[in-house]
Amino acid sequence: MKVAIVSGGQAPSKEFLQQYRDWYIIAADSGVHCLLEAGIDPQQVIGDLDSIDSQDLKILEDKGIKIKSFPKEKDETDTHLCLLEAIRLQAESIHILACFGRRFDQTLAHLALLEIAHDYKITCSLVDQENKVEFLSPGKYQVSKDGYQYLSLVPVTESITVSLYHMKYPLERENLYRKKSQGISNEILDQEGTIKLHKGKAYLIHSNDKKR
């Protein structure tokens, strides 16, 4: 099952959201607004409902869309609760949308969600119209260009040891450090490249300067 979680950050365009119409969609509180505007009904809405528009709430109730309400004072963010639901549903792939912009603390918290999904061996990405962020642990990865120009590796651990093949700046068992920016703005030469992460953990970031 492919699951799209729509958070309450900067909303994607209606056109961008259309590609997720056939996914199982979970909205995190006010994230439902951009879905309804795009003519897309989520399967569930989860959160404390403190930021959802009253008109949107009425639409959801009239349509009989499943709503899971939680107390405002809780230990998890609304998006975190959506991720836990996606894990419960045994999702194979998760995209978290509308997850950047507005509050930077929420953005950092979303990065941690990638690690949670990774622990469950679920492919999970933070996605908007310019970026796609994934979490990597040691292993071999085939990465596609997929419409993005740049590929960056940002260490989560103090350092990583990595090899990169079929890229503009190839590496062979090179050490990249968290406090240096040498892993930024690489490019896949054709349509697919290879990453071998020998040691450490990192964020893999696909990006564009302009919206796709």
Side-chain angles (χ1 to χ4, degrees), residues 130-132 147-152 185 205-210:
E130 295 90 12
N131 306 279
K132 180 180 180 182
Y148 294 98
Q149 180 176 358
Y150 301 110
L151 178 148
S152 299
S185 296
I205 305 171
H206 299 269
S207 59
N208 283 324
D209 287 324
K210 295 181 180 180

Side-chain angles (χ1 to χ4, degrees), residues 74-85:
K74 57 190 186 304
D75 293 331
E76 297 87 8
T77 65
D78 292 336
T79 307
H80 189 168
L81 292 172
C82 291
L83 178 70
L84 295 177
E85 176 65 8

Side-chain angles (χ1 to χ4, degrees), residues 8 28-33 48-54 56 72 78:
D29 208 317
S30 63
V32 74
H33 183 72
D48 53 31
L49 309 184
D50 67 336
S51 58
I52 192 168
D53 185 83
S54 58
D56 288 342
K72 185 174 182 179
D78 292 336

